[in-house]
Amino acid sequence: MDYAKFRGIVIRSTDYGEGDRLLTILAFEKGMLTIRAKGVRRKGAKLSHCAQLFFCGDFECVSGKGRYVLTGGSRLYDYTGIADDLEKYYHACHFIEIASAVIMEDQPDDDMLRLLLNTMHVMISSGMDLDLLTAIYELRTAVITGFAPVTGECAVCGKTQDEMVFSPDNGGMVCCVPGMPVDKETAKAIAHISSCEDGKLFSIRLPKKQIAGLKKIGTKYLEFVLDRKFGKLEGFERYNNGGGSG
Ligand SMILES: [Zn+2]
C-alpha cells in the first residue's frame, strides 16, 4: 500500500456498491483520476463531506494496483453552495465540462485547473455577470490550450485596420474575410483575455450589450479550437425559457 495526496476538485460523484461513491477528481498532481470513497453514503460517515460534487481541497488516499481509496480530506474552498443556485450550478457544470475536455488522466494541467478554480471562486464571491465570466473562461481556455487568438493584426493578411471582425476558423481578428462583428471595447477585451497575467484576468468591465457579442465569440472560438460543442448551458436556457416543458 502506498499513500498519496491530491489537491483538486470533485467533478462527478456516483453511487457505487452498498454505501460507497466513486469520485472523479481533477487534481494538480495527476490530472483526472478516480477515487473510491468507502462507506460515505452511510449515516454519520466521517468523509461524506469530501464525496460531494464541487468539493475542493486535499484528498488523502491509499493506493494499490493503480486504484485509490479515500482515507482523509480537508476543504480548501467551499463551492458546495453553488448547487443551491440553479443558474450558477449550470454554469459550474459548463466550466467543468470544458475543463474535463482539456485535463486528461495522468496529464496534469496546472494552468487549466487554476483557471477552473479561480472562475468558480469569482462566480461565488463576486456579482460578475455570468455571461461575461463564461466568455472570459472560454477564451482563456483557448489561450491555455495553445490557441491564443490573434488580436493586434489581421490573422489572415497581417495588416492592422480600424474596422476588424472576429473569425474563429482563421484564429482571431481579421480584416479581409468575413467574421463576427466586434466593436473597439470588445476587441480590447479579447486582447486582454489573450495576453494579461492571471491576476488581471477578471478585471474586465463591459456593458451588457457587448457582453452578449463577446460570449458568442468565446463559445464559437472554443468550439472551433477543441472541435466539439458543450451543451450544459443549453439545458439551463431551455429550462429558463420554456419552464422545463420543452
Ligand atoms: Zn486581412
Side-chain angles (χ1 to χ4, degrees):
M1 281 285 179
D2 289 323
Y3 294 90
K5 197 173 172 182
F6 304 108
R7 175 163 286 187
I9 182 168
V10 175
I11 60 161
R12 199 178 309 130
S13 173
T14 48
D15 289 355
Y16 186 77
E18 288 280 295
D20 301 357
R21 276 199 171 139
L22 287 184
L23 311 178
T24 308
I25 288 167
L26 297 180
F28 284 106
E29 297 81 358
K30 216 173 156 55
M32 195 184 291
L33 76 149
T34 305
I35 298 176
R36 183 166 173 182
K38 282 188 173 170
V40 289
R41 276 155 56 218
R42 300 210 173 94
K43 232 184 186 170
K46 190 168 66 110
L47 294 175
S48 59
H49 66 290
C50 324
Q52 291 173 28
L53 182 65
F54 305 142
F55 175 86
C56 176
D58 292 323
F59 302 83
E60 286 157 40
C61 305
V62 290
S63 72
K65 297 179 198 155
R67 289 159 191 258
Y68 297 99
V69 175
L70 191 70
T71 56
S74 52
R75 174 170 282 149
L76 205 59
Y77 304 113
D78 190 0
Y79 299 144
T80 48
I82 288 174
D84 300 332
D85 179 321
L86 200 62
E87 188 173 18
K88 287 183 178 170
Y89 170 79
Y90 269 98
H91 279 79
C93 292
H94 177 67
F95 300 149
I96 279 173
E97 191 185 15
I98 290 170
S100 43
V102 173
I103 303 173
M104 304 290 156
E105 228 171 283
D106 290 320
Q107 288 177 32
D109 188 330
D110 283 15
D111 290 341
M112 189 63 222
L113 186 49
R114 208 176 308 116
L115 175 66
L116 173 67
L117 300 186
N118 287 344
T119 302
M120 300 273 276
H121 186 75
V122 169
M123 182 163 72
I124 54 164
S125 63
S126 80
M128 186 177 229
D129 185 287
L130 289 179
D131 284 344
L132 178 58
L133 188 61
T134 303
I136 293 172
Y137 181 79
E138 291 179 343
L139 282 168
R140 192 70 167 192
T141 299
V143 174
I144 287 171
T145 54
F147 295 92
V150 175
T151 56
E153 56 188 38
C154 172
V156 174
C157 72
K159 284 185 197 147
T160 309
Q161 306 276 8
D162 269 352
E163 299 285 315
M164 307 240 292
V165 290
F166 191 92
S167 167
D169 26 343
N170 284 296
M173 302 294 290
V174 291
C175 69
C176 47
V177 292
M180 307 166 79
V182 173
D183 58 35
K184 277 222 163 67
E185 278 165 302
T186 309
K188 248 172 86 177
I190 295 170
H192 178 87
I193 298 165
S194 304
S195 60
C196 74
E197 52 191 82
D198 278 358
K200 293 187 174 147
L201 183 59
F202 300 100
S203 65
I204 297 173
R205 296 293 172 265
L206 211 56
K208 192 85 191 163
K209 204 172 69 193
Q210 273 104 328
I211 288 174
L214 183 67
K215 188 180 167 226
K216 254 184 214 154
I217 286 171
T219 301
K220 282 266 174 231
Y221 187 54
L222 188 63
E223 281 176 5
F224 176 76
V225 161
L226 297 182
D227 195 22
R228 57 170 284 187
K229 280 184 182 291
F230 299 94
K232 296 282 185 216
L233 283 183
E234 281 169 26
F236 173 70
E237 277 150 22
R238 259 203 314 277
Y239 174 88
N240 221 21
N241 298 330
S245 61

